[in-house]
Amino acid sequence: MASTVFAILAASVAFASPASATLTVVSPCDPSLTTPDAVACAGYYSGNLINGSPNDILNQKEAIASLPGDFEWDGNWAVLDPEFKITSLSNVNKLDFGKTLYGKTIIGAHFGNVYGPAGNVSVFWLFDLGSEGASHVSLDHTSGFSNAVLYTTGVQAVPEPGTWALLLVGFAAVGGAMRAKRRSNKNPALSYA
């Protein structure tokens, strides 16, 4: 009797626990299929992982963790959808999230029928957009595009306090030189020949 109760409890815990992520790579992704080129990519994973279902959140976390770097997505889908999720491309092929993307940026996308033999897939890209940033990422092939999510991007660099101090010293030096030049022009030195 006790073993039967234990078996039922163990089975109920197993069914109540979220399913573990089971990612299937259908075809290797190509980081050069975007402009600018991605630094790395993960996928193409079978199906649409870009949604808020518990199993797909685990799959997204696993895919993002497989990219280089130390970013770890917390799985909070509510923060991403709808603010950082797009379901249509701008100007035919642009992933435009309405903000400038800086530094290490991770974007996930779903294609219902991606270019090539892979079919219905999801892919995750890591970009390094530097301190100048980019307003969008362009897709070289848009066939079957369904949706995309911006997981993380950097922030615009703010100058260090030492840089601000140097800038102020430079402005003061230029102002002082201009003032000295103006004084010397008002009182020309008399010279005797």
Side-chain angles (χ1 to χ4, degrees), residues 36 38 64-65 84 105 118 132 149-150 168:
I64 291 167
F84 298 110
T105 299
E132 291 187 23
V149 171
L150 173 64
L168 291 174

Side-chain angles (χ1 to χ4, degrees), residues 30-159:
D30 183 353
S32 69
L33 292 179
T34 57
T35 303
D37 289 349
V39 174
C41 63
Y44 293 111
Y45 298 111
S46 179
N48 184 3
L49 306 181
I50 312 298
N51 64 70
S53 78
N55 193 50
D56 285 334
I57 286 174
L58 291 174
N59 287 328
Q60 292 170 71
K61 288 178 77 169
E62 184 178 326
I64 291 167
S66 73
L67 293 169
D70 58 359
F71 175 74
E72 185 176 327
W73 182 50
D74 64 5
N76 187 351
W77 181 257
V79 172
L80 300 177
D81 187 11
E83 187 175 356
F84 298 110
K85 180 179 178 184
I86 57 174
T87 56
S88 62
L89 299 170
S90 62
N91 294 338
V92 180
N93 71 334
K94 294 180 181 175
L95 295 172
D96 186 348
F97 294 95
K99 63 184 287 180
T100 304
L101 310 173
Y102 295 100
K104 303 289 186 195
T105 299
I106 296 177
I107 296 174
H110 170 252
F111 294 86
N113 190 16
V114 74
Y115 173 79
N120 180 22
V121 296
S122 297
V123 63
F124 298 83
W125 293 294
L126 170 64
F127 298 93
D128 188 353
L129 302 171
S131 59
E132 291 187 23
S135 62
H136 64 274
V137 171
S138 296
L139 300 176
D140 296 347
H141 300 284
T142 60
S143 175
F145 174 80
S146 173
N147 56 2
V149 171
L150 173 64
Y151 291 95
T152 186
T153 189
V155 294
Q156 187 173 13
V158 176

